[in-house]
Amino acid sequence: LNWKNVIDFAVNGNPTPDRRVEKTEAEWKAQLTPEQYRITREKGTERPHSGALCSVYDSGKYNCVCCNTPLFDSTIKFSSGTGWPSFTQPIKENAIKYERDT
């Protein structure tokens, strides 16, 4: 996976995920904390340096809070200085959704 792939996915459409979880907004609100809901369902952002896993480098996998899909492996995590966990790539190219930032 390279930047050309990422841009292509963001512009032309994402690869099909292995599975997709469909729930009503009420079901999501019951499952997630208000902050998790705002970030995952409303495209919100955590404040920089506020996440519990921002400075953790233990070995393991980072899974989606909504569906438990593995997203990133700790072996590819790095400190970007931005205040958010940073990874060189997802576990699988279809594990995450690529969106054009405007």
Side-chain angles (χ1 to χ4, degrees):
L1 189 62
N2 58 47
W3 280 111
K4 182 180 178 320
N5 301 127
V6 170
I7 293 167
D8 185 55
F9 291 145
V11 172
N12 299 313
N14 285 278
T16 303
D18 290 340
R19 71 184 190 110
R20 181 172 167 80
V21 177
E22 298 285 341
K23 293 185 179 189
T24 66
E25 293 308 306
E27 290 171 319
W28 286 121
K29 285 181 180 180
Q31 175 184 331
L32 303 168
T33 68
E35 182 180 24
Q36 289 170 334
Y37 181 85
R38 181 182 63 79
I39 292 167
T40 62
R41 307 305 303 163
E42 297 177 338
K43 300 182 181 180
T45 303
E46 294 174 300
R47 290 183 334 268
H49 306 284
S50 68
L53 300 174
C54 190
S55 60
V56 174
Y57 289 88
D58 299 341
S59 63
K61 297 200 176 6
Y62 292 78
N63 293 354
C64 176
V65 70
C66 295
C67 66
N68 206 36
T69 296
L71 304 175
F72 302 101
D73 189 291
S74 63
T75 60
I76 57 171
K77 184 177 180 181
F78 68 97
S79 178
S80 65
T82 62
W84 293 280
S86 298
F87 303 86
T88 56
Q89 61 184 324
I91 287 179
K92 293 173 65 177
E93 71 177 20
N94 69 343
I96 64 172
K97 184 176 182 180
Y98 304 87
E99 297 223 9
R100 186 176 177 186
D101 194 9
T102 56

